[in-house]
């Protein structure tokens, strides 16, 4: 596609800039004085009525005034470039602003809240800019659809796919439901909480049957009296992967003799491998001061809710510690109940591998990290987005237009 910058084209850029600027200013003023767009306005059936009204009104205006200059302006490339630029800048610049709740009540925080910077998609200025982009897309689709040419098929598929993605993606926000649920071992839970802490009863229930965590090996660090890892600018660690491996940490060479991911204290600063409840990570190491040549053998333990950490004092200012192991993956085996179905289904929820139940996607979120692998609590997120299939359909059409022709 080529863009000719003639006098007509130049005027369309100026007019497009003026229209989008007016919409932006009007949206900011409405936002400031009247507040954000209510989410309930775009919940079903309100968003469905808006979609029908938008398509009928814009289509009617096009066929009534398709030869008018203002219709040609609204479906022009200059208007598309300017409106998309406005929407993109609003999304990237303002959408990246995070209101600091520590300064809640301050004039700047109150201004940001009134301008809707804590939820930009519900602001009037975002809404006006978004509608400008949709109008341009829909008018361009209507204009090209009147002339059947092979080269127009790609244009129509790409633009209609993008229109569906934007249209369904934003309008569907009113029906998007995100809830968190705490599920406990052998207890069926039918209730979840929304972002405001309100309890919501669901048509499905989850019961935790088993929770497992896989960990990376622990790491050793040297810390100062304040508990800061050393060296301060770039702390160095020793990953306890293989017996016999060594690592230089400042003036000390640390050699791993034995690593026990699950161990219990057996007295005299000794540990033994055990899978009993509350076991902690421990390691037997050789600590050599490379300046003096002094060698010592020690047990070191990360500690947990059951055991206190066991550290190695290197000198009066430095201590060798074992950091808690980092979770590699964790998952919940659950039984799933539905009010309309007496059948109980078992499934496994993993991080980044949600399960689908009755229109809900269920994600593994967290657990009781204090108890770790012994946790009897699993926290999951339930997401219900009825407009998502339409978004996926739009993406499919967009890809078809890119690949097929």
């Amino acid at each position: 596609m080529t863009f000719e910058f003639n006098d007509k084209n130049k005027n369309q850029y100026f007019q497009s800039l003026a229209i989008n600027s007016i919409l932006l200013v009007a949206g900011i003023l409405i936002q400031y004085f009247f507040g954000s767009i209510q989410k309930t306005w775009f919940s079903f059936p309100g968003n469905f009525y808006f979609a029908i009204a938008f398509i009928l009104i814009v289509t009617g205006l096009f066929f009534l005034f398709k030869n008018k200059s203002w219709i040609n302006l609204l479906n022009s490339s200059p208007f598309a470039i300017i409106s998309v630029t406005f929407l993109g800048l609003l999304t990237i610049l303002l959408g990246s602003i995070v209101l600091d709740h520590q300064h809640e009540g301050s004039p700047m925080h109150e201004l940001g809240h009134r301008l809707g910077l804590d939820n930009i998609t519900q602001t009037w200025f975002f809404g006006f800019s978004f509608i400008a982009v949709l109008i341009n897309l829909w008018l361009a689709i209507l204009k090209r659809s009147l002339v059947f040419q092979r080269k127009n098929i790609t244009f129509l598929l790409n633009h209609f796919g993008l229109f569906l993605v934007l249209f369904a993606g934003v309008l569907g926000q009113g029906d998007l439901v995100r809830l968190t649920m705490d599920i406990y071992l052998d207890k069926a839970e039918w209730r979840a909480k929304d972002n405001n802490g309100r309890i919501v009863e669901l048509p499905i229930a989850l019961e935790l049957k088993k929770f497992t965590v896989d960990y990376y090996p622990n790491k050793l660090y040297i810390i100062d009296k304040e508990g800061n890892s050393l060296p301060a600018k770039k702390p160095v660690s020793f990953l306890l992967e293989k017996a016999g491996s060594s690592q230089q940490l400042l003036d000390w060479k640390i050699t791993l003799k034995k690593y026990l991911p699950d161990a219990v204290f057996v007295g005299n600063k000794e540990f033994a491998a055990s899978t009993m409840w509350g076991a902690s990570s421990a390691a037997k190491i050789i600590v050599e001061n490379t300046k003096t040549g002094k060698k010592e053998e020690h047990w070191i333990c990360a500690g947990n809710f059951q055991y206190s950490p066991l550290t190695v004092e290197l000198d009066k200012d430095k201590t060798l510690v074992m950091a808690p192991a980092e979770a590699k993956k964790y998952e919940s085996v659950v039984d799933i109940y539905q009010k309309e179905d007496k059948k109980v289904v078992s499934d496994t929820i993993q991080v980044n591998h949600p399960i689908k139940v009755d229109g809900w996607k269920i994600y593994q979120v967290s657990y009781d990290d204090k108890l770790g692998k012994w946790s009897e609590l699993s926290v999951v997120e339930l997401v219900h987005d009825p407009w998502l299939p339409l978004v996926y359909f739009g993406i499919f059409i967009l890809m078809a237009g890119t690949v097929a022709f």
Side-chain angles (χ1 to χ4, degrees):
M1 182 182 290
T2 58
F3 300 99
E4 298 180 4
F5 202 73
N6 49 38
D7 288 339
K8 178 183 177 182
N9 201 265
K10 185 191 295 186
N11 287 334
Q12 286 184 331
Y13 274 105
F14 285 130
Q15 291 168 352
S16 300
L17 182 61
I19 291 172
N20 280 275
S21 298
I22 291 170
L23 290 174
L24 176 61
V25 173
I28 291 174
L29 291 175
I30 295 173
Q31 177 68 34
Y32 183 82
F33 289 106
F34 298 100
S36 297
I37 300 171
Q38 297 300 312
K39 186 178 179 180
T40 53
W41 296 359
F42 287 95
S43 298
F44 187 84
N47 47 13
F48 178 75
Y49 294 149
F50 175 85
I52 298 298
F54 175 88
I55 292 172
L56 290 177
I57 292 172
V58 177
T59 303
L61 290 173
F62 173 78
F63 283 107
L64 287 173
F65 304 103
K66 62 183 177 182
N67 295 321
K68 297 292 184 179
S69 59
W70 61 273
I71 287 289
N72 291 327
L73 170 65
L74 293 179
N75 66 46
S76 66
S77 295
F79 191 83
I81 293 170
I82 297 297
S83 58
V84 168
T85 301
F86 267 68
L87 185 63
L89 290 175
L90 284 175
T91 304
I92 296 170
L93 297 180
L94 296 183
S96 61
I97 296 175
V98 179
L99 296 182
D100 189 355
H101 292 290
Q102 292 182 347
H103 298 93
E104 194 167 350
S106 66
M108 290 302 296
H109 186 276
E110 288 301 313
L111 178 62
H113 181 69
R114 292 194 71 169
L115 291 178
L117 300 185
D118 49 351
N119 193 350
I120 190 173
T121 57
Q122 288 185 230
T123 61
W124 288 94
F125 49 87
F126 177 87
F128 287 167
S129 184
F130 177 73
I131 289 173
V133 172
L134 289 183
I135 289 173
N136 174 264
L137 277 172
W138 190 245
L139 288 176
I141 292 168
L142 292 173
K143 183 178 179 180
R144 286 294 186 101
S145 64
L146 295 180
V147 181
F148 182 78
Q149 295 179 350
R150 183 178 176 83
K151 64 179 182 180
N152 283 344
I153 297 177
T154 300
F155 179 93
L156 290 172
L157 287 175
N158 286 335
H159 282 67
F160 186 66
L162 180 59
F163 178 84
L164 274 183
V165 170
L166 293 175
F167 205 57
V170 173
L171 285 184
Q173 291 298 306
D175 294 321
L176 177 63
V177 180
R178 290 184 180 273
L179 305 171
T180 56
M181 177 185 285
D182 296 342
I183 52 176
Y184 291 89
L185 195 64
D186 297 327
K187 294 181 180 178
E189 181 59 76
W190 294 88
R191 299 170 302 168
K193 294 180 181 178
D194 63 14
N195 291 333
N196 297 314
R198 290 190 293 262
I199 303 296
V200 179
E201 187 159 344
L202 299 172
I204 60 174
L206 301 177
E207 179 180 342
L208 182 64
K209 304 307 294 182
K210 183 182 179 182
F211 179 78
T212 57
V213 186
D214 291 337
Y215 291 99
Y216 292 104
N218 294 72
K219 294 179 181 178
L220 301 185
Y221 288 89
I222 294 178
I223 63 172
D224 59 20
K225 287 183 177 180
E226 287 72 38
N228 301 312
S229 299
L230 300 175
K233 290 185 178 179
K234 192 176 180 181
V236 179
S237 64
F238 178 20
L239 183 65
L240 304 176
E241 284 188 290
K242 185 178 179 183
S245 60
S246 300
Q247 175 74 44
Q248 187 74 29
L249 299 179
L250 299 182
D251 296 331
W252 291 268
K253 179 183 177 182
I254 314 299
T255 302
L256 176 63
K257 287 194 69 176
K258 184 189 293 185
Y259 173 62
L260 304 176
D262 298 296
V264 294
F265 183 66
V266 293
N268 196 28
K269 294 187 178 181
E270 293 279 337
F271 287 82
S274 174
T275 57
M276 69 178 288
W277 188 86
S280 179
S281 303
K284 196 173 190 179
I285 57 174
I286 298 173
V287 180
E288 178 184 359
N289 189 315
T290 52
K291 284 188 174 181
T292 65
K294 182 180 178 181
K295 287 185 179 181
E296 293 180 339
E297 192 173 276
H298 296 276
W299 277 97
I300 190 168
C301 174
N304 58 14
F305 62 95
Q306 187 84 339
Y307 294 101
S308 298
L310 183 62
T311 62
V312 178
E313 186 176 327
L314 301 174
D315 60 28
K316 64 178 182 178
D317 296 317
K318 301 178 185 68
T319 303
L320 184 67
V321 299
M322 178 186 284
E326 298 177 6
K328 184 189 300 183
K329 72 171 186 177
Y330 47 94
E331 62 184 34
S332 302
V333 178
V334 296
D335 281 349
I336 304 164
Y337 304 86
Q338 298 185 57
K339 288 185 176 180
E340 304 300 327
D341 191 349
K342 293 183 179 180
K343 183 180 178 182
V344 179
V345 179
S346 294
D347 210 334
T348 301
I349 312 171
Q350 298 178 337
V351 176
N352 299 324
H353 292 85
I355 63 173
K356 296 179 182 179
V357 182
D358 196 25
W360 293 87
K361 273 192 174 182
I362 306 174
Y363 297 83
Q364 179 72 63
V365 176
S366 64
Y367 56 98
D368 186 341
D369 52 7
K370 182 181 178 182
L371 294 180
K373 68 178 70 178
W374 317 108
S375 175
E376 295 184 355
L377 162 69
S378 177
V379 181
V380 297
E381 182 182 48
L382 298 95
V383 179
H384 182 66
D385 188 358
W387 291 70
L388 192 59
L390 195 56
V391 174
Y392 286 152
F393 182 59
I395 294 173
F396 174 78
I397 295 176
L398 192 61
M399 294 174 61
T402 303
V403 176
F405 296 93

